[in-house]
Structure formats: structure tokens, C-alpha cells
Amino acid sequence: MNPFHYSKPDSVQDAVHLAGPASRFIAGGTNLLDLMKENVTRPEHLIDITGLPLREVSETARGGLMIGALVSNADLAWHPLIEQRYPLLSQAILAGASPQLRNMASTGGNLLQRTRCYYFYDASVPCNKREPGSGCPARDGLNRIHAIFGASAQCVATHPSDMCVALAALEAVVHVQGRGGARSIEFADFHRLPGEAPERDNQLADDELITAIELPAAGFADCSHYLKIRDRASYAFALVSVAAALKVVGPIIREARLVLGGVAHKPWRDKAVESWLTGKAPSRETFTAAADTLLQNAEPLEHNAFKVKLARRAIVRALSDAAQGGQPDE
Amino acid sequence: MNNFTQPLGQPLDRVDGQLKVTGQARYAGEFTEEGLLHGSVVSSNIASGRVVRIDASKALALPGVIAIIDHTNRSKIASYDEPYEDADSAEGSPFRPLYNDRVLYSGQPLALVVADNLELARYAGSLVVIEYETAEHQTDLLKLQGEAREAPVDLPKPRGHFQEEFAGAAISLDLNYSTPIEHHNPMEPHASTVLYQGDGSLHIHDKTQGTQNCQSYVQKVFGLEKQHVRIFAAYVGGAFGSGLRPQYQLVLAVMAALSLKRSVRVTLTRQQMFTFGYRPRTLQRLQIGAAANGRLLAIAHTAIGQTSRFEDFTEHVVEWSGMLYHCDNVQLTYKLLPLDVFTPLDMRAPGAALGLIGLECALDEMACALAIDPLQLRLINFAERNQNEDKPYSSKALRECYAQGAKRFGWEQRNAEPRSMRQGRQLVGWGMAGGVWEAMQQKASAKARLDHHGKLTVSSATTDIGTGTYTVMTQIAAQASGVSVKDVTFILGDSSLPTAPLQGGSFTVSSVGTAVQQACEALKEKLLAVARQTSAAFAGVTAEQAVFEEGHLTFGEARVALAALARDSGEEAIEVQVDAEPDKKREAYATATHSAVFVEVLVDEDLGIVKVNRVVSAIAAGRVVNPKMARSQILGGVVWGIGMALHEETQTDHALGRHMNHNLAEYHIPVNADIGDIDVLFVEEHDEIVNALGSKGVGEIGIVGVAAAVANAIYHATGTRVRDFPITLDKLL
Amino acid sequence: MSATTPDAAQPSFARLPLGLTLNGQERQLEILPWTTLLDLLREQLDLVGTKKGCDHGQCGACTVLLNGKRVNACLTLAVMCDGADLVTVEGLANGEELHPMQRAFIKHDAFQCGYCTPGQICSAVGLANEGRAQTSEQIREGMSGNLCRCGAYNNIRDAIEEALPACMQGVGQGGGQ
């Protein structure tokens, strides 16, 4: 990797004042250092934020949880309040990466993972995300792992996180702080679609630091399920994943959340389908109809048409398991 | 006799185990000395063309960067093909690193940055700018298969009348299979540490399966005296074939060391582990005809493999289809297609791991078409002789593999109907396949030395790539010498030791083991001669009468410590060296290891996710020297077979002519969670012909047939026949 | 450490101080900011037991125990380990007495070439410290961050299953004390 300046501020204020276009914050480093070693990213300045007081998980007045950005993925997945109230999030985190990486990776950093597109990762070939304007060989190349929703002519990459799929389903709020002050961003708005500027993955400004993730009170602990489908049994990125959460009262779905991972540049949530599910009975027919609706606008590439079929079946499976109380029925 | 435990056949722990679990075993890239320089390889990103210019100015400007070596400023290397040929060369003109401006494949090394630390070398490498003149390239075997030409190999001549019998068979099947490029990816990346000695000679720690192969290569390529090049490989972090040929990091490290007169280490990155040899992509066609009673009437196996533009890599892909089953009408064809890629390289069970996918899947398809149990079909067509060579087998306990494997697995409970077995959401499938690998033996030498303390040191220039060579040679030496295991040390991994062949092809026990055995036998003769001279009690004792056990020579009541004989000899130690070669009696026989593999898969009916739930692998490999280590070899082979069936595939972007999933996150090898229960059983097989040990080697046989057995189980579970490997879940939706 | 204003054009090659406990010993080192923990161990301290298999967090061969937790040393900046308690494979045994996990690996032949082994063993000790895996199924998943190309997975599971009780009783927490 390239030489860089290293700073370790001890307050959020100092951290954001150090930040600029050529700097990066580092916490777990699991993706940033990986990218730096591949020369995909070459920051001139690393700002080590591990000394900041962002490690608390605390209850909010609104009945939710505030998760400090530096809480590790492992600590979060195994936090008693997460396991009890947000099992969907716990499952999603544990489906990702490896135990070692989950010990290192931070909550905030997980949101900033970059795509696993082969072309993005190989600095010796063109990629619009890495080098705007250089082209997208994936569009007509090896695109089995790429997007079926929301892609653009410039970029067909997918977002690799599992945790973010669950956070999208839980309608988390991202708290950030920049030099101009703090703001909060709805999870659905945090990540971008590639459009004309695939180099930008999210809405953060250069000087903005994620300080916390807030979970609303509704955790769907009774009826939720995270299903991840990948090319090997563990330690692989999702081909398709589904976060499904339901509130079922008597014979009727009162509220539904349905978000797909591995299919778009961001966690792919379809609120229209969620609304459609509301008021229906939780049955295989209902879930199949929901899946069909969600997938009717999919735009597969040459090698990833299977994702449409797979996602359809995965949605039905995940919703069914969620309706059964979240435990897969083996 | 007495309660003395015979070392051969004991499940001894690895003698190098303690060093490996404590992190004390040093691998090629882990030797150091004051002032060691580090090299970082800069690779091409085009598949064909020429280097116009290499601008290293930014890299050279960094303090601590010592040199940038490329084709314009490299030291002199040989200019004919012969010096570049090695013990595992393919036909053609071997690749010459940094030889000239030509780019032959994407990922080719084009420059070496040498710096005083590793991080700096890698960073400086990223600043080197290479300007190319790009030429057209071709990398797609599937697209260009029509241009393939006959491979330069001697295949068994066609026998019988394939066309007529195939046309007239009750059932005839014409099936196409394909297998992808796979890379060896040993956990230890390839590395060479060249320690530049005061006299200008080189001590090189190299990741290799052949210390002497590398020694002779370096000597010839750089025009050095033989005694000025010594190669060490005490520990090798896996290889699976990747270390059979000298790899380019060795040339680059030597080049730098010689020009700078300094010690240099070059370690490849994981990405660069995808820039040399690999298991080639193949397209296979199986035409197979059978009578209604299951007798195979006709087999034709055609394989097309890819190779580079500069060498014709060949392996035994189709031969097995002429020998595993009795069939009088056989036609074998093997073609190659040169592409703008690097030359393929032998990889665990080269050829057989591929060809048996075609053959054993086709047999399963035939069994289904005939409505005969797949195991029964194999028994009906059991081959008593190797028809390719028209020879009997020295031993062949394959029937016992079938029988014992089937029993252990519970095969008789199988419902032949696809999709007939289920566990909740999972479809259950049972499949099987057979395996075969040639039991070879090469010339090898070994030295045995017994000192005044009764310690026996045996040595040979072989390696231990994880196979357990240190341990099994210790056992063979102990058995043959009568010295206790604890007093035996086996030394390997040094080119200055007695000659050993490459470690590959499962012939190390057979070749080096025989040499070790013979050296120890010769040592005993010397010891007995000393005893006869120095002790009246042994004066007339013949070799047959003398008993060597537990470090002592005994004859009746007379007993003397071997250490005492060493002291009595008047020499510092008693030492013998022997050169062993395959026994002439092998020539009248075919020699092979065999296996029967039974697999249970669970397939998620909706999602296509396959889980290999359990495997029974029954092996016939002659005498097992160490059942613990042999079992580990088979376990590893089975895991590899599962990877071949379900996971492994190097993906090439043919527009760029470049492998794109060149990392361990996207080149999937099985992880722990992918592997279910594996039950290994060794059937008894007595063989006095293959070698005096009666042992055939187990490094390859474990993988052969496994991928086919998994595929057959998947068909049984789902009713879907996937012929394009690996069987990823998208192919089952 | 206080914040400094960087001069982007001239990254400083000045070494930074690093204090940590390494295998039970206090160490004061000086390192460059871009040195990973893995390269520090292997290249500067000659502790080559911690292996480099991929350098990208994709194989687990570099697994070490940082404050008792298993992490990939290849994706950890050494400078960020200031004040940490680090245990590598070289620090697991108690003198000549092997750690129970090391003994179990030998007994069950849980390795062949040995290159992934230090990472497997450190990872297994980390797994024991977490206290989350008891069954063979849980061990499989919990050890899936460590690739073994020799395919010793079944033996690795057997070794861990055997050694877990001893590890859970506090024998050899990998804390280096």
C-alpha cells in the first residue's frame, strides 16, 4: 500500500476537522486496508478513529437502540439486546465474513464496504467506479455476481454487506457528524444507486463520520428471518440474500419488511410490495405473489438471470420462515 | 517373535508435528539474514503484445529502492530452450522470465522491484508504468474448440470396432462434459529466498517439489557451476503440483541476487498465484454403448484441453476410459488448443481427476438408461486386465473397495429412482464412482548413517509437501534397520542429498521408500560384517539368521547394541548409500491404485444449495505405511473432489484475456462448513510386485472419482444432470 | 496521540512508537504507519509462525489473538495495536508444555503441510474464548474463517472438539500471562 500520514484524534470534533478528500477514517480496516493493498484506494492520510468514544450500545427514549459506530460486528451480533430484540440483525451479521473479520470490523465501517466486483478490485483493468470514465467491463463480461436492479450503463456492481440488508429492513437511522455539524440519514437514503457517478457509494460528504446507528423500537423479533445464499457454505459473499420481517396479528400480516442483498448497488427494498403484503394472510401463495411482483422489474445481465429465479424462491422461503417465527423449518 | 511393535503400519504422529503446531517450521519465504533485500513482481495486464517502455523513474526515486530489473537490464540468462527444460517440462519452448519484450499472457512477470523492505518493494512496484503495444489474443477454449489439434502423445491404439459396436448397441449415449480452469492455490504462496554466500554461491530456500530439479534449472539458466547452487525445501506449505516445475519467482530472485551480489527474497502475492500453471479447462465427449444386460460394448472418450502458445501441456485424461472397465471396442482421442495463456501444470491426480469425471458420470448415465444399479454395472464390467497395455494387474482389490465401501455406506438401501429420497426440504441423493491412478516408481537414492550412539540418520533429496514423508520414511527406515523409531531421523529438502525424483504422482513412498529400505538393508549387512569380525558369537551368522530389532543385533542368546557395532567398526559412523530402481518384475504387470467413492448429498429443492453430507472412500493402495497419515491424504483428496464438483473455477474474462477472480474470496475452495463426514477405509491388498514395500502411494487416488460421485448423487437427488463443472447452485434452479 | 496536520505531498517516513505485550512480554517498538501487524511480526520480529496466505483477510492463516480475540493480522495496522495484548502461535505453549489445542492438533493429525496450522490453532483458541461453539456443527461454522488447502477439516474439528473442554476450563486462554 502507499505511504500515508497517520493521526489518532481523541474526539469526534478533531476527527472531522482532520478529514478531507484525500483522507479516510480507519476503524476495523478490514476493507480499507484490503483495497489499499490492491491499489484501489490510495488515501494520503488515515485518521484512526478507534480512540473515539463510540463503543456504547444504549437504549433510546423511543424504545430503540443507539449503536456506537465503533462497536465490532461480533460484539453487536452477540449483544444480548440485539439477540433478544433484533435477531434479524444478529443473523445477518453472523452470516457475513468470518469470525476474525467480525471481531475487527466496526458497525460504521460495515456500511462503507465497497463492492466485490472483480473489475473494481483489479486496478489493472477499467472500472468506472474506481476510475470514472474508464469503462465497465462487467456489463458484458463476468457478471454472474452482479446487479439485477438499479444498475446503470456505467456500473452494475452490488453492495456486499449482509448487515446493511438487515439495517435497511429495520429502518435504521445513520447518525453522522461533519465539520458543519451533525445530521441523521434514513437508511434507505444512505447508499446510492450508481447512476452517472458510480464512484460514489453513499451520501456521506468527505468530512462526515458515521457516529452511530439508531434502531427504531420495532425489532420484529417474533417473525423475522435472514436468508443468505452463496457459492459455499460460509465465508463467501451473497449471491442473493433476503431480510424478511413480519408483524403478524391473528391471521393477518399487519406490517412487512422485505429487503434483498446481493442484487443491487444498495440493499434493495420495495415498499410497494411491503404495503401489498400488509393485510394479507401469511401463506405461500401470498409470498409467491409478492416475490413475483418484486422481481417483475428485474433487469438481469448475461450471466446473472439465475438471480431472478433464485431471489423469487429465496423471498418465498425467507418470508415463510419469518412467518414461522424465524426458525428455518428443516 | 516378541512384543516388539513393527514400525510399518503404525499410526505414528507426524514427526514434524511439534514444529508445525508451534510455528517453528520455517517455509521458503521465512529465512532471513541481515541486509536481505525484497523483490516485488510487476505483472502484465495485457494478454498478448509487446512492452514498449517501462518507466520506473518514480519507483527508483524512493529511498530504499535498490533496483528495478526488467528485460532491458537483466543479467545474462541462457538463450536456448534446453537450459530451461526441467523434470516436468511440457513439449516446446519453456517460458523465460524477463527474457524479452514479448507479452505471452496476462499476469506475465515483466519487472522485479528490489528494495530494502517488503512494503517499499510492493509500493514501488505500483509506481512502475508499463507502456504496451497490444496484439490480438485468444483465451476461450469453448469458442475455438474446432481449431484444436491432435495432442503429441502416444495414446493406446483404437481397439476393436468402436463405430459399429456403438451404432449397434442396445443403449448408446453421446455425452458432453466440461471442466473449468483450477489453480493449485497451496496456502503458502510461492517464494524463493536466495542467500548470497561469500564465495558467490547461492543457498536458496525455495517452495518446490524437487530440490534437484530447481538446482539443475538454476545452474543451467544462469550458467553456474553445480556446486554453486544449493536448494533447500525443509518445509513446503502445500503444492499439489504447483512446485513440480521451477516457478518464475525463483528465476527473478536469483537474477537479482546475482546482479546485486546480495541476498534477495521474492514472494508472490495471492493474486500472482494465478499467473502460472493450473489445471487446464477441458471439454470431454463420452460415447458409450452397452448391451441390455449391461456389458459395455463401445467406449470413445475425446478430450480437448487448452495449452499455451509456447508449450504443449499433456496429461492422461482419456487413457483411464480404456482400462477401468472391460471393453473390447475403445477409441481414445486427445486434442490441444494453444491459447494466449500460461502453460497448464500437473495438479493433484493430473488427467485422472478430469477424465474420470467424464467416464464415471457417463457410467452413471448408462446405469440409469439400463435401469441397472451403478455399482452392479461396474461389477458387470470389471476389468481383470489392463486392456490398454494388455497386462495383468500386480494387484487390484477394487472389488473389495466396491463391497466394503457399499457396506459401510449402506448402499443397498438406495432407492434407484431420482428424487425418491427426502429429508424435510432437502432432496437426498446417493451416488458413487470408481477411481484409478497409476502406481509408479522412479529411480531414487538414499543414504543411511548409524553413529556411535546408535542414532540412525537417513537422507534423500525428496520433500515433504504435507504428505508425511518425514514420518513414513522414518518408519520405513526403522522397520528395515531394526533401529527404534525414536532413534531415527530422516533428512530431506536439500539438493545436496542423495538423488530423489520430483515429489509427485504418488510415487514418493514407492521410489524413495524403496531406496530408504535398501539403504537400511545394506547398512545391516555392514553391521553384521562388523559383528562377525569383532564377536565370536556372530562369526558364522548369515543375514537370514541375524535379527535386527530395537537397536540391537541378536542371534540366539547373543545380543549386541548397534551403537557398539558402530563404535567397533573403527569408523566415525557406519554409512551406506544406495541407488534404487524399479524391479524388472514390474514390467510384466500393470500397477495401479483403485478406489470406490460413495457420496450422500442434500440438495435444497428450492434454492439449489448442495451439501455433501457424507462420503465413504474405500481405497486399495497396497500396504499402508502409516494409516493416520494415509487417511489424511485421502481426506484431503476427498475435500479436493468436493471442491472440483461444487466450488472451484478460475474465471477468465476473454475480452481482457485475464483471470478475474484471482483471490481466495472469489476463487472458492471448500471451507470447514462445506465438509461433512468422510469415512476412509483401506482394503487389504497384498502386492509383492509393485515394490518390496508392497506400498503404492495415496496422494492422488483420494481425489479421483469424487467429483463424479458428487455429480451422480446430485442427479439422484434432483433428477437434473449437470455436465458443466463446477455444479454451482444456479445450475440446479 | 494528538492530531497532526498532514503534508499530503510528503508522507512522513518517520517511525512511530508502539508499545504492546507480545506473548507475555512488554515490547517497545518503532514502526512505520503502513506496516501491518502481520509484516511487523514476520519481517521485523522474525516471528514467522504467523503465516501470510493471502494478505487480504481471505484465508485466516495470519490469525492471532489480540486482547484474547482472534483477528487477521494482515488487515490490522500495527500502529493501531498500541497498548494491546497480543498472542501468536509462538506464545501458546507454556515453555515445553504444549497448549491443549496444539496437542490435540498433533494427535488428530489436524494438518498436513502445516502452513495454515498456526492460524487454525489461534483461531480455535479464539473460538474457545468466545464460548459460543460446542457442537461439531458450530465448530464447522466457527472455523470457516480458516482455509486449509490440504483438506484437514475433519481432523481439525475432531481436534477442537477434544481440546475445547480443557480450553474452556481456562487452560491456556491465549492471554500470555
Side-chain angles (χ1 to χ4, degrees):
Chain A
M1 65 186 111
N2 59 298
F4 52 81
H5 292 279
Y6 170 81
S7 312
K8 189 175 182 184
D10 44 28
S11 75
V12 172
Q13 278 302 338
D14 286 352
V16 299
H17 275 93
L18 284 167
S23 73
R24 291 285 185 282
F25 297 115
I26 182 166
T30 52
N31 191 212
L32 179 60
L33 294 177
D34 174 28
L35 292 164
M36 287 172 70
K37 288 181 186 192
E38 296 284 16
N39 297 303
V40 174
T41 306
R42 294 184 166 207
E44 290 165 6
H45 182 194
L46 286 194
I47 303 164
D48 175 355
I49 57 168
T50 59
L52 306 184
L54 304 172
R55 295 184 185 277
E56 293 292 311
V57 176
S58 55
E59 302 197 53
T60 63
R62 284 175 288 187
L65 288 181
M66 190 70 81
I67 302 159
L70 290 174
V71 174
S72 78
N73 288 182
D75 285 348
L76 186 59
W78 290 335
H79 194 286
L81 291 176
I82 299 293
E83 287 189 316
Q84 286 159 27
R85 298 190 199 167
Y86 306 94
L88 179 69
L89 179 57
S90 187
Q91 283 176 19
I93 295 171
L94 294 175
S98 71
Q100 290 93 318
L101 292 166
R102 296 194 294 265
N103 277 336
M104 304 160 73
S106 68
T107 300
N110 195 304
L111 272 59
L112 306 179
Q113 281 183 82
R114 308 211 67 191
T115 185
R116 291 302 311 185
C117 172
Y118 307 151
Y119 302 91
F120 174 71
Y121 253 90
D122 186 337
S124 59
V125 305
C127 167
N128 288 327
K129 183 182 275 297
R130 179 168 28 77
E131 231 181 295
S134 62
C136 176
R139 188 157 255 294
D140 297 311
L142 298 170
N143 51 34
R144 178 175 175 270
I145 63 172
H146 289 72
I148 55 171
F149 287 112
S152 69
Q154 279 72 30
C155 183
V156 294
T158 59
H159 195 264
S161 169
D162 291 297
M163 185 174 94
C164 289
V165 182
L167 290 175
L170 293 168
E171 293 191 344
V173 176
V174 185
H175 291 269
V176 308
Q177 185 160 340
R179 276 197 288 274
R183 63 175 176 137
S184 55
I185 307 170
E186 296 293 322
F187 206 87
D189 300 329
F190 183 81
H191 294 103
R192 306 176 61 252
L193 289 178
E196 299 291 317
E199 69 276 14
R200 289 187 57 209
D201 291 351
N202 56 56
Q203 307 287 0
L204 279 185
D206 289 336
D207 65 318
E208 283 184 316
L209 173 70
I210 298 172
T211 53
I213 306 293
E214 184 179 353
L215 295 177
F220 299 89
D222 293 336
C223 291
S224 64
H225 187 66
Y226 187 74
L227 173 65
K228 179 175 182 180
I229 299 161
R230 43 189 157 176
D231 277 323
R232 63 182 174 193
S234 187
Y235 206 10
F237 292 92
L239 292 166
V240 169
S241 69
V242 184
L246 299 171
K247 190 172 167 197
V248 182
V249 180
I252 296 298
I253 297 168
R254 293 293 177 198
E255 194 176 358
R257 301 281 173 79
L258 182 62
V259 184
L260 301 186
V263 298
H265 201 256
K266 60 187 286 187
W268 192 255
R269 183 173 174 196
D270 191 327
K271 288 195 184 184
V273 171
E274 292 177 358
S275 305
W276 183 86
L277 278 166
T278 307
K280 304 278 190 309
S283 68
R284 194 176 171 89
E285 292 66 38
T286 302
F287 298 149
T288 305
D292 286 343
T293 307
L294 197 156
L295 287 156
Q296 67 191 3
N297 297 321
E299 294 176 308
L301 303 161
E302 186 184 353
H303 301 295
N304 70 359
F306 79 95
K307 281 194 178 184
V308 178
K309 199 184 265 186
L310 182 61
R312 179 181 290 118
R313 296 176 181 191
I315 289 168
V316 174
R317 172 71 61 85
L319 284 168
S320 304
D321 284 349
Q324 296 290 323
Q327 291 307 311
D329 162 32
E330 283 301 341
Chain B
M1 295 220 278
N2 53 25
N3 56 9
F4 172 69
T5 309
Q6 300 291 317
L8 274 196
Q10 292 305 311
L12 215 66
D13 289 342
R14 258 167 228 272
V15 299
D16 49 342
Q18 175 124 353
L19 288 177
K20 285 180 173 173
V21 301
T22 54
Q24 302 302 309
R26 270 184 202 259
Y27 298 78
E30 298 178 341
F31 291 83
T32 192
E33 66 174 31
E34 193 64 31
L36 178 75
L37 298 175
H38 297 259
S40 175
V41 180
V42 182
S43 314
S44 79
N45 53 25
I46 65 163
S48 178
R50 284 174 191 281
V51 173
V52 176
R53 203 167 74 94
I54 296 183
D55 179 359
S57 54
K58 276 190 188 157
L60 281 168
L62 292 170
V65 172
I66 309 291
I68 309 224
I69 300 171
D70 61 32
H71 65 280
T72 63
N73 66 353
R74 62 164 170 79
S75 53
K76 188 171 162 14
I77 50 175
S79 53
Y80 295 97
D81 283 339
E82 191 278 328
Y84 295 89
E85 283 165 9
D86 71 272
D88 194 36
S89 278
E91 289 284 310
S93 300
F95 177 65
R96 304 173 187 184
L98 307 192
Y99 189 73
N100 58 22
D101 63 351
R102 290 194 56 196
V103 178
L104 303 170
Y105 69 100
S106 186
Q108 177 179 327
L110 296 179
L112 183 76
V113 178
V114 185
D116 62 17
N117 70 73
L118 177 64
E119 292 116 323
L120 182 62
R122 282 198 65 181
Y123 171 57
S126 75
L127 301 179
V128 174
V129 180
I130 301 178
E131 214 177 288
Y132 301 96
E133 184 185 294
T134 307
E136 292 278 300
H137 67 260
Q138 299 287 1
T139 55
D140 193 348
L141 175 71
L142 188 64
K143 195 172 136 197
L144 299 168
Q145 56 176 302
E147 295 171 25
R149 52 172 165 71
E150 293 297 315
V153 288
D154 290 326
L155 289 175
K157 298 244 178 309
R159 61 174 181 258
H161 307 280
F162 167 76
Q163 290 298 353
E164 291 94 316
E165 294 294 329
F166 182 67
I171 304 277
S172 52
L173 301 176
D174 188 346
L175 306 163
N176 288 283
Y177 301 89
S178 66
T179 67
I181 291 175
E182 295 179 342
H183 278 84
H184 304 73
N185 277 310
M187 294 311 298
E188 178 202 17
H190 274 254
S192 303
T193 305
V194 181
L195 301 176
Y196 193 86
Q197 305 296 299
D199 62 356
S201 68
L202 307 177
H203 282 187
I204 305 173
H205 295 275
D206 188 49
K207 179 183 177 73
T208 179
Q209 291 168 260
T211 54
Q212 289 161 335
N213 190 34
C214 288
Q215 178 197 33
S216 129
Y217 178 87
V218 168
Q219 179 208 336
K220 289 184 299 173
V221 167
F222 291 93
L224 303 172
E225 297 294 319
K226 191 174 180 188
Q227 66 274 18
H228 281 175
V229 183
R230 188 167 168 191
I231 309 279
F232 299 91
Y235 297 97
V236 179
F240 316 105
S242 69
L244 288 172
R245 299 187 70 178
Q247 295 308 347
Y248 67 74
Q249 92 286 339
L250 173 63
V251 178
L252 301 189
V254 170
M255 214 176 246
L258 290 175
S259 21
L260 300 168
K261 299 193 180 347
R262 298 271 301 268
S263 295
V264 180
R265 177 198 297 159
V266 178
T267 302
L268 299 186
T269 63
R270 181 54 58 182
Q271 182 170 330
Q272 288 163 345
M273 291 298 288
F274 291 79
T275 60
F276 55 97
Y278 53 90
R279 198 193 294 280
R281 189 179 183 186
T282 63
L283 304 172
Q284 299 182 41
R285 182 181 184 194
L286 265 293
Q287 292 161 282
I288 182 163
N293 66 3
R295 288 292 304 276
L296 292 176
L297 301 176
I299 299 176
H301 191 166
T302 301
I304 307 175
Q306 69 179 70
T307 191
S308 64
R309 300 265 186 221
F310 45 94
E311 285 175 308
D312 283 343
F313 171 83
T314 58
E315 55 188 339
H316 294 175
V317 182
V318 294
E319 284 85 338
W320 318 100
S321 295
M323 62 187 270
L324 189 54
Y325 301 106
H326 184 94
C327 184
D328 294 328
N329 304 288
V330 172
Q331 186 176 298
L332 305 174
T333 311
Y334 182 35
K335 294 180 176 179
L336 290 184
L337 180 70
L339 295 168
D340 296 295
V341 296
F342 197 74
T343 310
L345 177 59
D346 290 334
M347 179 164 163
R348 202 167 197 173
L354 296 170
L356 271 280
I357 284 181
L359 177 64
E360 288 299 275
C361 286
L363 253 280
D364 198 70
E365 300 206 38
M366 179 56 83
C368 292
L370 291 163
I372 293 178
D373 180 87
L375 178 53
Q376 186 59 29
L377 182 66
R378 285 165 172 87
L379 289 169
I380 291 170
N381 294 286
F382 192 85
E384 297 290 350
R385 293 168 68 83
N386 179 337
Q387 286 180 282
N388 283 351
E389 300 174 18
D390 194 24
K391 287 176 183 175
Y393 283 100
S394 62
S395 61
K396 182 179 173 182
L398 178 57
R399 275 204 188 88
E400 291 72 14
C401 292
Y402 289 143
Q404 292 179 34
K407 188 170 178 218
R408 185 75 66 90
F409 186 83
W411 184 258
E412 63 175 28
Q413 305 294 320
R414 182 177 185 262
N415 180 335
E417 194 59 35
R419 303 179 64 86
S420 61
M421 296 158 64
R422 195 178 265 284
Q423 275 177 27
R425 283 168 176 167
Q426 313 280 339
L427 295 165
V428 179
W430 287 3
M432 62 86 55
V436 57
W437 180 254
E438 203 182 341
M440 294 173 271
Q441 186 181 346
Q442 314 271 335
K443 287 183 184 175
S445 305
K447 183 157 76 179
R449 181 179 196 274
L450 188 87
D451 70 13
H452 290 186
H453 304 287
K455 304 282 185 196
L456 175 65
T457 304
V458 184
S459 56
S460 180
T462 184
T463 52
D464 185 338
I465 56 175
T467 42
T469 315
Y470 278 112
T471 312
V472 298
M473 294 304 157
T474 300
Q475 287 174 271
I476 292 169
Q479 176 86 26
S481 66
V483 176
S484 301
V485 164
K486 66 175 172 44
D487 291 325
V488 178
T489 303
F490 186 73
I491 299 176
L492 51 66
D494 177 347
S495 62
S496 71
L497 296 172
T499 309
L502 289 172
Q503 181 170 39
S506 296
F507 52 65
T508 300
V509 165
S510 174
S511 311
V512 179
T514 297
V516 166
Q517 185 187 38
Q518 291 183 6
C520 292
E521 297 287 350
L523 181 78
K524 286 196 296 194
E525 280 177 31
K526 275 200 168 184
L527 287 164
L528 183 56
V530 174
R532 285 195 198 109
Q533 284 176 4
T534 55
S535 160
F538 290 96
V541 176
T542 65
E544 288 70 34
Q545 294 166 324
V547 176
F548 287 83
E549 262 179 15
E550 295 183 302
H552 287 76
L553 165 62
T554 53
F555 172 66
E557 295 300 303
R559 189 161 196 267
V560 59
L562 301 184
L565 293 175
R567 290 193 291 271
D568 292 348
S569 71
E571 307 282 330
E572 201 177 302
I574 297 188
E575 190 171 294
V576 289
Q577 180 167 335
V578 303
D579 304 318
E581 52 183 76
D583 199 302
K584 286 266 182 280
K585 69 184 173 190
R586 282 174 60 103
E587 290 169 9
Y589 294 87
T591 54
T593 52
H594 289 90
S595 68
V597 191
F598 299 83
V599 169
E600 175 178 283
V601 296
L602 305 179
V603 184
D604 187 302
E605 189 176 6
D606 295 330
L607 307 177
I609 299 165
V610 178
K611 162 99 190 166
V612 177
N613 199 43
R614 62 190 180 100
V615 177
V616 172
S617 175
I619 304 288
R623 185 178 193 174
V624 174
V625 177
N626 181 324
K628 186 179 270 195
M629 241 123 282
R631 175 174 173 272
S632 290
Q633 284 289 294
I634 302 303
L635 288 176
V638 171
V639 171
W640 272 61
I642 293 169
M644 270 191 108
L646 302 178
H647 306 116
E648 291 192 42
E649 177 176 18
T650 301
Q651 298 176 44
T652 310
D653 181 306
H654 296 299
L656 297 167
R658 185 172 175 84
H659 302 322
M660 291 308 302
N661 59 334
H662 41 44
N663 62 63
L664 292 177
E666 270 88 21
Y667 180 94
H668 296 125
I669 68 168
V671 297
N672 206 315
D674 287 298
I675 303 304
D677 294 335
I678 303 173
D679 198 347
V680 178
L681 59 96
F682 293 98
V683 305
E684 202 169 306
E685 190 177 64
H686 187 70
D687 194 325
E688 290 185 353
I689 290 153
V690 67
N691 55 50
L693 289 161
S695 186
K696 292 177 176 175
V698 290
E700 331 289 324
I701 189 64
I703 180 178
V704 184
V706 176
V710 172
N712 296 340
I714 290 172
Y715 172 75
H716 183 237
T718 64
T720 302
R721 186 70 74 171
V722 179
R723 302 187 183 93
D724 177 26
F725 285 74
I727 306 175
T728 46
L729 60 90
D730 45 304
K731 297 171 187 171
L732 293 169
L733 294 175
Chain C
M1 192 179 303
S2 62
T4 54
T5 310
D7 172 358
Q10 278 294 313
S12 166
F13 281 74
R15 288 176 180 264
L16 303 172
L18 168 68
L20 80 174
T21 306
L22 174 54
N23 294 329
Q25 285 192 317
E26 304 269 337
R27 301 289 293 262
Q28 289 299 327
L29 306 164
E30 290 201 324
I31 49 151
L32 292 164
W34 46 88
T35 297
T36 61
L37 183 57
L38 180 57
D39 286 336
L40 169 68
L41 291 168
R42 288 173 64 82
E43 303 296 331
Q44 294 181 40
L45 304 178
D46 199 32
L47 287 172
V48 295
T50 306
K51 303 301 184 190
K52 185 183 279 191
C54 73
D55 213 17
H56 287 275
Q58 299 163 355
C59 78
C62 66
T63 304
V64 294
L65 294 159
L66 193 63
N67 300 319
K69 291 183 178 177
R70 44 180 169 162
V71 301
N72 298 123
C74 71
L75 293 182
T76 302
L77 285 182
V79 69
M80 291 171 70
C81 298
D82 197 43
D85 180 33
L86 177 67
V87 176
T88 69
V89 70
E90 290 93 344
L92 286 177
N94 183 5
E96 290 300 297
E97 190 195 341
L98 293 182
H99 187 283
M101 196 63 78
Q102 293 171 316
R103 280 203 301 274
F105 266 63
I106 293 177
K107 177 179 164 189
H108 291 275
D109 207 33
F111 53 90
Q112 293 174 37
C113 81
Y115 198 79
C116 75
T117 310
Q120 298 276 1
I121 291 174
C122 285
S123 187
V125 174
L127 175 99
N129 291 351
E130 289 159 9
R132 290 261 169 179
Q134 274 90 39
T135 67
S136 179
E137 199 66 36
Q138 290 165 334
I139 293 171
R140 284 175 206 200
E141 171 59 29
M143 289 302 293
S144 283
N146 292 82
L147 304 187
C148 170
R149 188 55 158 161
C150 295
Y153 294 127
N154 300 73
N155 290 348
I156 289 168
R157 295 198 300 250
D158 290 348
I160 295 172
E161 256 184 285
E162 176 171 298
L164 266 186
C167 294
M168 308 281 265
Q169 281 160 22
V171 183
Q173 294 287 294
Q177 298 83 350

